[in-house]
Amino acid sequence: MSVLVDVIAGARPNFMKIAPILHAMQARREAGGPLRWRLVHTGQHYDPRMSGEFFAQLGIPAPDVNLEVGSGTQAEQTAGVMIGYEKLLLAQRSACCLVVGDVTSTMACAITAQKLHVPVAHVEAGIRSGDWTMPEEINRLATDAVTNWFFTTSDHANTNLQRSGVGEERIFFVGNTMIDTLLANMGRLRAPDFVQQHGLQPGGYVVTTLHRPANVDSADGFGRLLRAIGDGCRGLPVVFPVHPRTAKTLRELPDFPANLLLIDPQPYLEFNWLVKHAKGVITDSGGITEETTVMGVPCLTLRDNTERPETVELGTNELIGTDPAKLGPALARLFDGQWKQGQVPPLWDGRTGERIVAILERLLA
Ligand code: UD1
């Protein structure tokens, strides 16, 4: 008997989350397990630097299907993914649609599958920021509203789901697949070429990533934020891999601080090498706060809220907010050596992909 599971991936942060699930499925398949996958890339991210390079570095098999939805407004992307995925399911149904994370492709495929009575498994279910101005929060709410099986990363997520009326028997606290990928690749991390060219030393530079609309869509606000980062880092180089959305606003700025080192989006192994050896990270990403927590690197989050409170309560992350004036005092604490140490949250142990596949086998076979 073989059971077909659709594994959905759309945007950069999805790729490190599906890799360990596919690897665990492959191992079980070789041992005679019943599950086989159909890997569906929606095409939400399509640049090699945002997509293809991650597949190559993380040993993710080539997608079986690419829906090629490309860029667009939230509604355009949602509609494009839904139309493409519905056609696929009508041509060949699967036994389960497995989605990860909170990107637009996640929500669009979950809704499409459930309307065709294909059960939905959501990996990283139940996390909530409470901030409805972020598209990801709407995606989380909508996805979990049509999910059958919830795979969670934290006790906060379990509690959020229980409070919304999800029965215990549908919640599986398994840990964090993004951390599976990090732990599996820790020994393979490698320095990008420019590290040597610029003479960057371990602990001698800061990494920043910014791409949230609230931080980067207005040139004025973004310019102020960059100045606060440049000044607060006391002349230390600030390595800044620039997301395509951020690049558009950067082009509108008359100038930026001299210590900013603007670079292209980095492949996985290079990016995490940079983080591992950084003095600290300044970001508005969610996933990076999990990785810095596991690597024990100080993390300053330029948001007012987080859907990952365990990275603040247990980890090395702190919410600084979006007001540039708050950044200076926080960086001063970092430079004075007063940042907290932090610990790794429960079950972030590198075995989450295996746990998910074992549970899926039980549920589907
Ligand atoms: C998406 C996710 C976000 C995630 C981020 C990581 C949603 C709602 N957001 O945001 O959660 O943190 O990915 O990168 O799903 N673009 C390119 N090349 C690409 C992809 C996009 O140039 O390969 C451009 C698009 O034309 C667009 C911008 O980048 O102007 C934003 O892309 P989009 O997929 O809409 O959302 P992200 O901001 O990347």
Side-chain angles (χ1 to χ4, degrees):
M1 187 187 75
S2 81
V3 178
L4 183 64
V5 176
D6 278 341
V7 176
I8 311 293
R12 185 172 59 181
N14 289 165
F15 307 140
M16 31 291 210
K17 293 173 193 170
I18 61 162
I21 299 172
L22 293 173
H23 294 150
M25 271 193 192
Q26 178 69 29
R28 283 292 304 140
R29 181 119 190 99
E30 283 162 12
L35 304 186
R36 63 192 168 88
W37 71 77
R38 177 168 62 181
L39 179 52
V40 180
H41 193 321
T42 66
Q44 180 180 340
H45 283 176
Y46 45 85
D47 282 355
R49 288 202 172 103
M50 302 293 286
S51 176
E53 288 185 2
F54 287 80
F55 276 67
Q57 284 198 340
L58 300 180
I60 303 173
D64 298 290
V65 180
N66 193 322
L67 302 179
E68 294 181 348
V69 66
S71 298
T73 65
Q74 291 291 317
E76 285 164 348
Q77 281 183 330
T78 305
V81 172
M82 284 180 148
I83 292 167
Y85 187 45
E86 186 183 55
K87 279 193 185 134
L88 184 67
L89 282 178
L90 290 174
Q92 192 191 5
R93 269 179 85 80
S94 60
C96 175
C97 168
L98 183 138
V99 294
V100 300
D102 56 14
V103 304
T104 297
S105 302
T106 306
M107 171 192 69
C109 288
I111 293 175
T112 305
Q114 195 57 265
K115 285 196 174 183
L116 290 174
H117 311 161
V118 172
V120 174
H122 183 200
V123 173
E124 199 186 271
I127 63 175
R128 298 285 183 269
S129 67
D131 179 353
W132 285 24
T133 65
M134 286 175 59
E136 292 81 2
E137 184 71 354
I138 309 298
N139 294 341
R140 292 179 198 117
L141 288 161
T143 303
D144 284 345
V146 297
T147 288
N148 298 76
W149 302 305
F150 302 81
F151 293 103
T152 61
T153 50
S154 72
D155 236 354
H156 287 289
N158 300 336
T159 307
N160 292 336
L161 290 169
Q162 286 154 4
R163 282 200 189 128
S164 68
V166 176
E168 287 286 352
E169 72 287 356
R170 295 200 288 145
I171 304 173
F172 304 96
F173 179 26
V174 287
N176 192 324
T177 59
M178 200 171 194
I179 299 308
D180 282 10
T181 294
L182 182 65
L183 296 177
N185 287 288
M186 202 68 98
R188 298 176 63 221
L189 303 183
R190 56 189 192 211
D193 292 343
F194 65 80
V195 163
Q196 213 181 357
Q197 288 153 18
H198 289 268
L200 297 183
Q201 296 298 324
Y205 64 92
V206 170
V207 170
T208 192
T209 79
L210 296 166
H211 71 282
R212 299 273 168 222
N215 285 331
V216 307
D217 277 3
S218 128
D220 255 16
F222 185 41
R224 274 198 300 278
L225 208 48
L226 289 185
R227 275 195 297 283
I229 293 174
D231 293 347
C233 288
R234 308 179 177 187
L236 228 55
V238 178
V239 180
F240 186 3
V242 181
H243 182 282
R245 156 175 233 116
T246 312
K248 284 185 192 156
T249 314
L250 261 181
R251 286 193 281 272
E252 293 169 29
L253 294 181
D255 55 17
F256 37 80
N259 55 334
L260 281 194
L261 187 55
L262 301 176
I263 56 173
D264 283 333
Q266 292 295 296
Y268 183 83
L269 300 174
E270 284 79 358
F271 180 73
N272 281 293
W273 187 96
L274 286 167
V275 168
K276 183 162 188 249
H277 298 93
K279 171 112 190 131
V281 174
I282 304 171
T283 188
D284 59 9
S285 155
I288 292 172
T289 68
E290 298 180 341
E291 291 163 339
T292 49
T293 280
V294 169
M295 290 191 264
V297 174
C299 183
L300 292 74
T301 293
L302 302 186
R303 289 174 51 191
D304 295 317
N305 48 59
T306 176
E307 60 290 337
R308 295 165 163 92
E310 63 280 3
T311 62
V312 176
E313 294 158 2
L314 295 175
T316 53
N317 184 27
E318 206 175 299
L319 289 182
I320 309 301
T322 51
D323 176 1
K326 302 266 174 60
L327 197 52
L331 283 169
R333 276 189 290 119
L334 172 67
F335 282 98
D336 293 344
Q338 287 170 16
W339 208 261
K340 59 185 171 180
Q341 292 293 316
Q343 38 176 309
V344 178
L347 291 185
W348 292 17
D349 60 358
R351 312 294 297 271
T352 301
E354 291 165 34
R355 289 186 198 105
I356 290 172
V357 171
I359 293 166
L360 283 177
E361 279 191 3
R362 213 168 68 220
L363 291 168
L364 295 170

